[in-house]
Amino acid sequence: MACALVPFGRLRDLGAARDFLCPQRRHGGAAGGGKPTNWEDGGWGAWDEAELPEPEEEESASKNQKNYWLQDCVLSLSPTNDLMVIANEQKAVFLVSKWKHSDQGKEEMQYAVGWSGSLNVEEGSSTGRPDWTCIVVGFTSGYVRFYTESGVLLLAQLLNEDPVLQLKCRTYEIPRHPGVTEQNEELSILYPAAIVTIDGFSLFQSLRACRNQVARAAASGNENVQPPPLAYKKWGLQDVDTIVDHASIGIMTLCPFDQMKTASNIGGYNAAIKNSPPAMSQYVTVGSNPFTGFFFALEGSSQPLLSHVALAVASKLTSALFHAARFGLPDSRRHGERICLSPCNTLAAVTDDFGRVILLDVTRGLAVRMWKGYRDAEVGWIQTVEDLHERETEKVDYSPFGNAQCPSRVAQFLVIYAPRRGILEVWSTQQGPRVGAFNVGKHCRLLYPGYKIMGLNNVTSQGWQPQTYQICLVDPVAGSVKTVHVPFHFALSDKKSERAKDMHLVKKLNVLLKAKASDPDSIEAEAKELILDIKYPATKKQALESILTSERVPLSSLTNITQTLMDNLEKQELECVDEGLLQFCANKLKLLHLYELVSKLNSQSIQEDTKPSENDLAKLLRLEEKDFQRLQTLLENYKKENTQTSVQFADENDDVLSVKMFLEYLEYEKDVINVKNMEDSKYVALGNFFFWKCLCGESSAEEMCHALESAGFSPQTLLSLLLNLWLSREKDILEKQDSTSCLYTMLSLLSKMKVAIDESWDTQSVSPWWQQMRTACIQSENNAAALLSAHVGNSVTAQIIDSVTEKKFSQIIVGSDTESWEALSLDAEYWQLLLKQLEDCLILQTLLHSQVSKRPKKVSSLQTEPLGRISVKKLLEGGKGGIADTVAKWVFKQGFNPLVLNLAQHRNNTESTEEAAELHTNIFLEEPEADEGLETILELLQLAYQQFPCSLELDVLHAHCCWEYVVQWNKDPEEACFLIRSIDHLRCIVNAHVQHGIALMMWNTFIVKRLSSATYLMDKADVSSDEMQAPVLDTEDAWMSVEGPVSIVELALEQKRIHYPLVEHQFVLCTILYAIMRFSLKSVKPLSLFDSKGKNAFFKDLTSIQLLPSGDMDQSVLSIRQQFLIKVVSAAVQKLCSSQKTKEVSEDELFPFEKARNWPTLAVDLAQYLQICEDVVRRHYVCELYSYGMDHLGEEAFLQVTDKEVLASQLLILAGQRLAFSVLHVQTKESVELLARLPPTLCTWLKAMDPQELQNVEVPIATTAKLINRVIENLPENHGQYSLALNLIEAVEAISS
């Protein structure tokens, strides 16, 4: 019952919030966006405000560190603790609280980013929720804006043209005494020289109306109607230098004495007074000159009588406003920084620039206390209400609970956070001592809302519980949110408080338990004395819990201390004994005795029987010899491939569990021991303590089960502990063959316990007992352990069914032969189904663990991410394609050739051994890095194919692999090899329906967005889908109950038929784009090759009918197309020539997807689509080959030209250019003599030739002679250039000779 700092929440995404709000401290990350929620018109809930002033001072050097960023921001917390706002400059982040599981598995409150953005602009509309929070934000422009928790602007109003300094809210509070004035709700906004107040009731109505209007506008799509302005009052603050903070005290009235004293001082004894003094609103400000000022605002339009107000302000009276302070603390050197009003409105804490915290009595206007050494302090209040049932008794009062009719007392504590010292202190006010201190770090922020929800009244507030936490500490380093818990008794005097004495004894006990090198006997004796001296039952319980959780006290001492306390309680009179404490002692004592007994049984080693043989184990599991051998083979394969780590325990500590942990894990409830909800590792540790020695055959299973049953464990709890242990220690179990028979023994013993198996259970109904075991096996990811436990469960079930059936038949048919009868039951059928599923799962998991021993040198980071483990539950929830999808992910990680999948299937098919051998040879030729690891993978794949003939049918598997590769390529488009592999798998799909559907889905989902990389996608299918039946997708019998997402193959079969001309049209564009990229063609605009119809048809749904180009094309477009094709052919020939000259890097290495790609042929095909004469492209190709001197290739290409006469005349010019270079440009004696012998017409023609147009002039003359002969062969004799060709051949022969 000490003062405690209790964590109640954690902050998620705090780094992202810091990077968004303070970009200068960015370390990566960004804030998340908000998610709208639903709401109804009539709802209203808590609301909050947050102010956003501009920073006015430069940051100190210490705040430049990254951990101090929260000090620069404005923080606010809603009174219900469900929303936290952090703001800096014009940006804000809204953190919404949600209950989630932590990394340790415990449920906790977490604050996550619900919205982030800039608050100086109006956002779009959104929806909300019935209980919503309003955020009020003040700006340096003087505007006050109201937002929803999702950042939607509700209302904005300019109240003053000065910066907003502070926002304070006062909500309704039920008066504690009849004479206290009832306070109205109010929002007060502080400006440098004024205070603006808005009535809470009218604000409540306006905000609710604005919320409704925003929702209606969002639903109808109309613009939001501007709401009417808010009604407010503005009070001027004069005769002050600066004001930085304020507190609204509320409505107050002068007492009659003060009223008459003021009237006498002003008007003498003849002054007139009213029967009741007027009500005034009081405001307290902090700043400088005065350091603290007290202001009073008098309501009403008529001038009040001077006698109704205080003397000091009478001379400053105006029609409805007092300007001057009635009184204050005029300390000229001291500057106030913050003021925080207490919950009962009677006290206020003020911080100043001297590092002081001053406690004010706001009613009398006096400083009643001062704390020194708290520079930059943050303050808050905690109000604690006394629990009447724990009130201290007077000596004359017999009842230990006091007089329950008296009202509860209220205590107020001041909380001070000193960031310079990193300490949080709790002080009792007004003259009380410090009751708590905590080291919390120097980077925290203390949040104290100081108000409740708005809209309550004296009726509705009675049914509303106080805010969850009055105060909280935000630690940005640890990412935690904590609150302070202060018991009421700390406000009581030490001399009169028995509870304070008890707390002193508890502290003394804690010191004793932490002392080093103490004698256990002396600790036990002193602890007994201390715990018996404590008076209050709740404190006794706290002390006993401290002792039981101490790791320094031995078990015997714990038992003796608990027994002593219990004996002491039993000796007391019945009416004076706290039943809860007595029961607590009894329960803890039972658990301590149980711990002692289990430890004793674990330490007693029994004589080990001979280990069961394989034959004995097969009989125990009711398996035939071949089935048992198959099970052993599967387990051996699994052990060989399963290299992943699992939960391990040191051998010497297998059965050790500390008393502290044991008591922490278990609890008694109505003579039944329950295991608390906790992490899996702790659950396993408890099961390990109970059962591991039994499973190893080193301890008596029968004695252990009897001890646990007698202690109060239910069979279901013990079964859960046993299965969790078994399934988590898979590696150890597989090493200990006799552990299976021990599990059989344990399970048989548990099944014979009372209420384990319902007495009404018959063979035609499902037993919850066995269903619990099957559920554990279904959920387990340790498939080998699950399969073994399922075999044991099946065997024990069969044995129990046999005994039940035998008993029934012995009653019905006395003396008849029942040995040939076989008992059938629903549970047995479920066991057989589960065994098949677990065996399938084990084979699949073994495959997923296998790896190719030699991987390529370059492996993508995406391929190194580990695969998750599988379970029957995961496969059942994965949908029809879940199994194939899992294998596809494994194929992607391994990165081997798609033909490996085909090879494994062909090996299964005995008729296709020759084809399998050929495939095997091709794989090893193509991938020389393949080794024996591939052989193991092939064997495991064969086994998987046998288990899943439908789910892993080749087309289905290739479809999933294709999709997996393209999904991974989409994550990292730089890895073009992923897309190539995807297309390889697509080609392996035999069924045209599936192939078409997958290709169309790939195009629509991924490829169309990256068209510049998509040329190698759209390959024409070899088989028309119209000639092929769509496949029937079956599922194995064991997996008929699968649920989950639709299979990718099912989606593929649902795709519409494509419009082939549109695909062809898109393919043309892809090829053009790739050609431009491949050959780096300059000044080519792809869309200029198409008319308007062609352009509009691109990037449309391939299944739609689009208007495509038809008929004659515009000549200008045809000219551009022809020029483009000629450029492509020229570039292709240039690449070919350069690759033959420099064979440093092969084309296959640079462009592996261009194997067997012939660009000139592709250009001819494109010419057909683009309405260009194909022969023009072919002729240009031949000419380019001869121009580069590759005459041998030119001769082959010559044969494909249709109009050889035109080509011959083009080649004649090329031959003339070669001859001109030999005769004219190489000036030798022989060439000059030859030139003199040539005919004049030929000489003139040769001089007109330009050899520079040739790409290669170094061609042998004999090769040129062949070219001229080919020209003569294809030119008719009546051709105009025929005689010129004859003259050329004579000249060539002359040069040759």
Side-chain angles (χ1 to χ4, degrees):
M1 296 281 294
C3 186
L5 187 64
V6 184
F8 72 89
R10 296 198 64 80
L11 294 166
R12 293 180 57 218
D13 308 326
L14 201 58
R18 178 196 61 209
D19 295 339
F20 175 72
L21 294 171
C22 306
Q24 69 274 16
R25 306 179 190 272
R26 183 179 297 277
H27 292 274
K35 187 179 288 185
T37 50
N38 295 326
W39 73 291
E40 297 174 359
D41 289 347
W44 175 260
W47 73 286
D48 181 24
E49 78 278 5
E51 59 277 15
L52 193 58
E54 292 282 340
E56 297 179 357
E57 297 181 357
E58 294 185 1
E59 297 179 8
S60 63
S62 62
K63 290 188 178 181
N64 288 330
Q65 303 174 29
K66 65 177 182 179
N67 293 331
Y68 283 96
W69 68 276
L70 208 58
Q71 314 297 326
D72 304 333
C73 300
V74 177
L75 268 75
S76 189
L77 182 69
S78 69
T80 51
N81 306 140
D82 60 346
L83 183 70
M84 186 185 298
V85 178
I86 309 176
N88 186 32
E89 295 181 349
Q90 298 292 346
K91 298 177 181 177
V93 173
F94 298 171
L95 299 170
V96 182
S97 65
K98 293 179 181 178
W99 285 95
K100 291 187 177 181
H101 288 281
S102 65
D103 297 336
Q104 290 77 29
K106 294 182 179 179
E107 195 174 33
E108 65 178 10
M109 183 189 288
Q110 296 183 359
Y111 287 91
V113 175
W115 182 88
S116 62
S118 179
L119 289 177
N120 61 343
V121 292
E122 294 192 10
E123 304 290 338
S125 62
S126 175
T127 56
R129 58 187 177 188
D131 295 324
W132 61 286
T133 305
C134 180
I135 299 95
V136 187
V137 187
F139 291 84
T140 53
S141 60
Y143 265 96
V144 175
R145 292 187 174 96
F146 300 81
Y147 294 88
T148 67
E149 63 273 71
S150 55
V152 178
L153 181 65
L154 292 176
L155 186 61
Q157 191 160 342
L158 181 64
L159 300 174
N160 200 38
E161 294 185 352
D162 294 323
V164 175
L165 299 181
Q166 273 289 353
L167 293 166
K168 291 289 178 75
C169 178
R170 190 178 69 242
T171 52
Y172 180 80
E173 190 79 37
I174 300 175
R176 295 196 69 247
H177 305 290
V180 178
T181 307
E182 192 173 83
Q183 302 295 335
N184 295 326
E185 295 181 324
E186 179 185 78
L187 173 67
S188 59
I189 303 117
L190 177 66
Y191 290 95
I195 291 179
V196 175
T197 61
I198 303 173
D199 177 61
F201 180 76
S202 63
L203 180 63
F204 171 80
Q205 300 295 341
S206 299
L207 288 174
R208 183 163 61 176
C210 290
R211 185 74 171 182
N212 296 346
Q213 174 60 33
V214 166
R216 282 193 291 268
S220 62
N222 299 328
E223 292 186 3
N224 195 8
V225 178
Q226 188 65 28
L230 293 171
Y232 63 91
K233 297 172 184 175
K234 187 184 297 185
W235 309 104
L237 303 173
Q238 298 180 359
D239 299 336
V240 291
D241 284 357
T242 58
I243 296 177
V244 295
D245 199 359
H246 77 292
S248 175
I249 310 301
I251 299 174
M252 63 162 293
T253 55
L254 292 175
C255 65
F257 177 80
D258 287 340
Q259 182 187 12
M260 288 186 286
K261 182 180 72 173
T262 302
S264 299
N265 287 332
I266 294 175
Y269 59 88
N270 290 323
I273 62 170
K274 287 187 177 180
N275 294 331
S276 60
M280 296 175 289
S281 295
Q282 182 182 2
Y283 299 93
V284 183
T285 63
V286 295
S288 60
N289 289 329
F291 158 64
T292 303
F294 293 80
F295 291 82
F296 298 86
L298 188 62
E299 303 290 341
S301 57
S302 61
Q303 286 208 6
L305 294 174
L306 295 180
S307 59
H308 296 171
V309 297
L311 173 63
V313 299
S315 61
K316 300 289 185 179
L317 183 64
T318 61
S319 61
L321 168 67
F322 290 111
H323 291 299
R326 185 181 76 166
F327 50 77
L329 302 178
D331 190 335
S332 59
R333 296 178 56 215
R334 191 182 303 272
H335 296 269
E337 293 178 344
R338 295 185 185 93
I339 182 169
C340 185
L341 189 64
S342 68
C344 64
N345 290 4
T346 57
L347 299 172
V350 178
T351 63
D352 61 26
D353 60 343
F354 287 170
R356 267 57 163 178
V357 177
I358 300 171
L359 187 66
L360 296 182
D361 183 334
V362 296
T363 306
R364 297 183 295 160
L366 299 175
V368 295
R369 191 170 186 181
M370 180 183 289
W371 290 268
K372 297 181 181 181
Y374 294 91
R375 193 172 296 277
D376 298 330
E378 298 177 14
V379 294
W381 294 87
I382 289 181
Q383 181 171 277
T384 306
V385 181
E386 178 189 23
D387 187 351
L388 289 177
H389 295 285
E390 295 186 358
R391 174 171 288 188
E392 295 183 51
T393 61
E394 299 291 337
K395 293 182 179 179
V396 296
D397 190 1
Y398 173 76
S399 170
F401 304 112
N403 184 3
Q405 301 301 319
C406 297
S408 298
R409 292 178 287 181
V410 174
Q412 295 185 104
F413 298 91
L414 179 64
V415 181
I416 306 175
Y417 169 55
R420 297 290 183 96
R421 292 188 286 154
I423 190 171
L424 184 76
E425 297 180 343
V426 183
W427 290 83
S428 178
T429 53
Q430 298 177 19
Q431 290 85 29
R434 187 177 75 173
V435 297
F438 311 94
N439 290 318
V440 294
K442 300 181 179 181
H443 320 107
C444 304
R445 288 292 300 272
L446 188 68
L447 298 183
Y448 171 65
Y451 51 87
K452 300 179 181 178
I453 69 171
M454 183 166 277
L456 299 179
N457 53 41
N458 59 346
V459 177
T460 56
S461 61
Q462 293 178 2
W464 188 81
Q465 295 297 322
Q467 59 263 39
T468 311
Y469 302 107
Q470 299 177 57
I471 198 167
C472 77
L473 186 79
V474 180
D475 186 347
V477 178
S480 62
V481 185
K482 303 175 183 177
T483 189
V484 181
H485 171 70
V486 186
F488 174 81
H489 66 82
F490 276 116
L492 304 175
S493 170
D494 289 350
K495 296 179 180 178
K496 298 180 181 179
S497 174
E498 285 289 343
R499 187 180 295 278
K501 182 181 177 183
D502 283 357
M503 294 311 301
H504 174 72
L505 294 174
V506 170
K507 289 179 181 178
K508 189 175 179 180
L509 177 64
N510 289 331
V511 171
L512 173 69
L513 296 175
K514 293 177 182 178
K516 295 181 180 179
S518 299
D519 179 35
D521 294 336
S522 63
I523 291 178
E524 178 184 334
E526 194 168 346
K528 286 180 182 177
E529 183 180 349
L530 287 171
I531 203 169
L532 292 177
D533 286 345
I534 295 173
K535 303 296 181 185
Y536 277 85
T539 316
K540 278 183 184 287
K541 182 180 178 182
Q542 180 187 355
L544 182 59
E545 286 175 339
S546 299
I547 295 171
L548 294 175
T549 55
S550 173
E551 296 179 350
R552 303 175 63 85
V553 183
L555 175 64
S556 58
S557 297
L558 294 176
T559 307
N560 293 338
I561 293 170
T562 310
Q563 187 67 58
T564 301
L565 178 58
M566 189 171 173
D567 293 343
N568 178 266
L569 292 174
E570 289 175 344
K571 291 176 184 177
Q572 297 177 13
E573 296 181 10
L574 187 61
E575 60 272 12
C576 297
V577 176
D578 185 285
E579 288 294 330
L581 178 60
L582 187 63
Q583 188 63 45
F584 179 79
C585 293
N587 293 341
K588 293 299 179 184
L589 203 57
K590 289 178 184 177
L591 291 177
L592 289 169
H593 288 316
L594 175 63
Y595 181 87
E596 185 179 9
L597 178 58
V598 172
S599 300
K600 183 179 178 182
L601 290 175
N602 282 333
S603 62
Q604 293 175 351
S605 58
I606 60 172
Q607 186 175 1
E608 294 187 18
D609 299 331
T610 55
K611 291 188 177 181
S613 63
E614 290 187 1
N615 192 31
D616 295 336
L617 202 53
K619 288 181 179 177
L620 192 70
L621 299 179
R622 301 192 174 213
L623 291 174
E624 299 289 337
E625 184 179 353
K626 62 175 184 177
D627 293 333
F628 184 75
Q629 290 298 329
R630 172 181 167 80
L631 175 62
Q632 281 195 315
T633 304
L634 292 178
L635 294 175
E636 284 300 321
N637 290 340
Y638 179 79
K639 280 167 61 179
K640 194 185 303 179
E641 299 295 339
N642 185 15
T643 57
Q644 296 191 8
T645 57
S646 56
V647 178
Q648 294 295 317
F649 296 87
D651 291 339
E652 64 271 17
N653 295 326
D654 274 341
D655 60 334
V656 173
L657 184 72
S658 68
V659 187
K660 175 187 174 183
M661 295 293 102
F662 184 80
L663 296 175
E664 183 183 319
Y665 296 165
L666 300 177
E667 60 183 359
Y668 251 103
E669 187 177 353
K670 297 179 181 178
D671 295 330
V672 176
I673 298 181
N674 295 321
V675 180
K676 298 177 183 177
N677 291 329
M678 52 192 178
E679 303 168 28
D680 290 342
S681 59
K682 294 180 179 179
Y683 210 76
V684 171
L686 186 61
N688 200 73
F689 177 62
F690 287 149
F691 299 122
W692 183 244
K693 289 287 186 182
C694 300
L695 288 176
C696 295
E698 300 172 7
S699 182
S700 171
E702 191 169 352
E703 289 182 15
M704 182 66 73
C705 289
H706 177 71
L708 295 175
E709 183 184 18
S710 303
F713 276 102
S714 67
Q716 287 76 15
T717 302
L718 294 176
L719 178 62
S720 179
L721 288 168
L722 176 63
L723 290 177
N724 267 276
L725 170 66
W726 177 270
L727 295 173
S728 65
R729 299 198 63 170
E730 182 182 70
K731 194 171 183 180
D732 296 327
I733 285 162
L734 294 177
E735 296 297 330
K736 299 177 183 289
Q737 189 174 359
D738 55 333
S739 62
T740 306
S741 59
C742 294
L743 178 65
Y744 182 92
T745 305
M746 293 288 300
L747 194 58
S748 300
L749 290 169
L750 292 180
S751 302
K752 292 174 183 175
M753 288 184 181
K754 293 179 181 179
V755 305
I757 300 177
D758 194 355
E759 295 179 358
S760 62
W761 173 71
D762 60 15
T763 57
Q764 299 309 310
S765 61
V766 178
S767 168
W769 173 259
W770 299 120
Q771 187 59 38
Q772 178 188 351
M773 186 173 181
R774 286 193 292 268
T775 302
C777 294
I778 286 172
Q779 294 175 346
S780 175
E781 295 178 357
N782 295 317
N783 298 288
L787 181 60
L788 281 173
S789 62
H791 273 294
V792 172
N794 177 52
S795 179
V796 174
T797 305
Q799 190 268 331
I800 293 175
I801 291 172
D802 288 348
S803 62
V804 171
T805 309
E806 186 178 348
K807 190 180 296 183
K808 282 186 178 180
F809 275 104
S810 63
Q811 295 173 357
I812 299 172
I813 311 172
V814 180
S816 63
D817 183 17
T818 60
E819 290 183 3
S820 59
W821 288 70
E822 182 179 352
L824 297 176
S825 79
L826 203 54
D827 271 308
E829 294 299 318
Y830 278 119
W831 277 120
Q832 292 304 316
L833 174 62
L834 178 60
L835 287 171
K836 176 66 172 66
Q837 290 174 334
L838 286 170
E839 185 178 300
D840 291 351
C841 222
L842 182 70
I843 290 170
L844 197 57
Q845 186 69 75
T846 307
L847 174 67
L848 299 182
H849 283 155
S850 62
Q851 294 182 355
V852 178
S853 32
K854 287 185 181 178
R855 300 290 300 275
K857 294 179 182 178
K858 184 184 177 184
V859 178
S860 168
S861 60
L862 294 172
Q863 291 177 295
T864 58
E865 296 174 4
L867 281 173
R869 296 176 67 85
I870 62 171
S871 64
V872 174
K873 181 183 179 182
K874 285 184 179 179
L875 293 183
L876 288 173
E877 293 175 350
K880 278 192 173 182
I883 295 169
D885 186 60
T886 304
V887 176
K889 284 181 169 56
W890 168 76
V891 170
F892 169 73
K893 303 294 180 191
Q894 303 306 312
F896 49 63
N897 194 304
L899 295 177
V900 172
L901 303 178
N902 293 15
L903 176 58
Q905 181 63 45
H906 285 304
R907 282 192 174 185
N908 273 342
N909 190 352
T910 54
E911 298 176 3
S912 55
T913 51
E914 293 182 6
E915 188 178 351
E918 185 180 348
L919 268 173
H920 195 274
T921 307
N922 290 340
I923 291 169
F924 275 83
L925 287 174
E926 189 174 340
E927 299 191 358
E929 67 270 8
D931 58 358
E932 306 125 8
L934 190 62
E935 198 63 37
T936 305
I937 285 176
L938 288 172
E939 292 174 2
L940 294 173
L941 268 172
Q942 282 180 262
L943 198 55
Y945 286 155
Q946 291 168 8
Q947 293 295 119
F948 301 100
C950 302
S951 298
L952 295 182
E953 196 270 328
L954 265 183
D955 272 3
V956 174
L957 185 54
H958 279 304
H960 280 271
C961 290
C962 170
W963 193 256
E964 178 66 23
Y965 267 108
V966 78
V967 166
Q968 299 297 337
W969 168 77
N970 187 56
K971 293 179 183 176
D972 187 2
E974 297 297 321
E975 294 285 351
C977 57
F978 291 167
L979 187 56
I980 299 166
R981 276 285 192 236
S982 179
I983 302 303
D984 291 342
H985 281 286
L986 184 63
R987 289 196 183 100
C988 291
I989 298 174
V990 176
N991 189 282
H993 292 274
V994 179
Q995 189 184 50
H996 161 268
I998 294 291
L1000 183 58
M1001 289 165 60
M1002 288 169 63
W1003 173 265
N1004 289 335
T1005 310
F1006 305 108
I1007 309 299
V1008 76
K1009 298 174 185 176
R1010 297 188 171 94
L1011 201 52
S1012 59
S1013 307
T1015 6
Y1016 40 84
L1017 172 70
M1018 304 298 293
D1019 282 346
K1020 202 171 181 179
D1022 295 332
V1023 183
S1024 171
S1025 60
D1026 296 330
E1027 301 170 6
M1028 187 178 290
Q1029 292 292 325
V1032 178
L1033 300 180
D1034 292 327
T1035 307
E1036 293 80 11
D1037 293 342
W1039 301 95
M1040 293 297 288
S1041 59
V1042 291
E1043 297 176 353
V1046 181
S1047 165
I1048 198 74
V1049 179
E1050 290 178 307
L1051 288 174
L1053 294 175
E1054 291 173 1
Q1055 301 300 309
K1056 297 178 182 178
R1057 307 308 305 160
I1058 59 169
H1059 182 50
Y1060 190 76
L1062 183 58
V1063 177
E1064 203 170 39
H1065 184 62
Q1066 194 72 58
F1067 174 71
V1068 171
L1069 177 63
C1070 293
T1071 309
I1072 290 170
L1073 290 173
Y1074 185 59
I1076 294 171
M1077 182 273 295
R1078 175 68 176 83
F1079 299 117
S1080 303
L1081 301 180
K1082 306 295 184 183
S1083 67
V1084 177
K1085 296 181 178 179
L1087 293 179
S1088 66
L1089 303 176
F1090 301 92
D1091 60 4
S1092 57
K1093 289 182 182 177
K1095 293 174 185 176
N1096 293 334
F1098 289 129
F1099 319 123
K1100 296 293 192 294
D1101 185 359
L1102 296 181
T1103 60
S1104 63
I1105 306 296
Q1106 299 293 330
L1107 192 60
L1108 296 172
S1110 60
D1112 296 332
M1113 185 65 60
D1114 185 80
Q1115 286 300 318
S1116 61
V1117 176
L1118 291 176
S1119 175
I1120 296 173
R1121 289 179 174 181
Q1122 183 170 322
Q1123 290 174 17
F1124 168 74
L1125 292 175
I1126 287 173
K1127 282 186 179 181
V1128 171
V1129 171
S1130 300
V1133 176
Q1134 182 185 359
K1135 287 282 183 184
L1136 178 63
C1137 180
S1138 61
S1139 64
Q1140 289 186 352
K1141 287 181 180 178
T1142 60
K1143 297 188 177 181
E1144 297 175 1
V1145 182
S1146 69
E1147 287 285 300
D1148 287 350
E1149 289 181 22
L1150 286 173
F1151 297 93
F1153 38 81
E1154 285 201 4
K1155 292 178 182 177
R1157 170 154 298 189
N1158 189 325
W1159 275 103
T1161 306
L1162 191 61
V1164 172
D1165 294 338
L1166 273 180
Q1168 183 181 355
Y1169 296 135
L1170 298 175
Q1171 300 180 18
I1172 301 297
C1173 177
E1174 300 166 38
D1175 218 40
V1176 172
V1177 179
R1178 291 195 185 100
R1179 291 201 301 268
H1180 181 72
Y1181 177 48
V1182 174
C1183 292
E1184 285 293 299
L1185 288 173
Y1186 277 107
S1187 176
Y1188 278 94
M1190 294 184 285
D1191 290 30
H1192 59 291
L1193 296 177
E1195 290 176 7
E1196 294 177 10
F1198 192 100
L1199 302 175
Q1200 299 174 2
V1201 177
T1202 304
D1203 194 345
K1204 293 183 172 59
E1205 183 179 338
V1206 176
L1207 177 59
S1209 63
Q1210 291 175 319
L1211 292 178
L1212 182 64
I1213 295 172
L1214 197 141
Q1217 290 170 340
R1218 287 184 181 181
L1219 197 59
F1221 179 80
S1222 301
V1223 176
L1224 300 175
H1225 292 268
V1226 182
Q1227 294 293 332
T1228 62
K1229 182 181 178 182
E1230 292 80 7
S1231 64
V1232 173
E1233 292 176 356
L1234 177 63
L1235 194 60
R1237 294 200 302 270
L1238 291 178
T1241 55
L1242 182 59
C1243 289
T1244 305
W1245 186 77
L1246 284 176
K1247 288 178 181 178
M1249 295 294 105
D1250 183 9
Q1252 290 185 356
E1253 294 180 3
L1254 292 173
Q1255 301 296 333
N1256 182 11
V1257 293
E1258 302 291 340
V1259 181
I1261 198 69
T1263 306
T1264 305
K1266 285 184 181 180
L1267 172 59
I1268 299 173
N1269 283 326
R1270 176 61 65 106
V1271 170
I1272 293 173
E1273 289 173 6
N1274 289 279
L1275 278 178
E1277 293 182 2
N1278 59 354
H1279 194 276
Q1281 293 179 321
Y1282 187 77
S1283 59
L1284 188 62
L1286 291 175
N1287 289 335
L1288 273 178
I1289 197 67
E1290 290 174 2
V1292 169
E1293 288 174 356
I1295 294 173
S1296 302
S1297 61

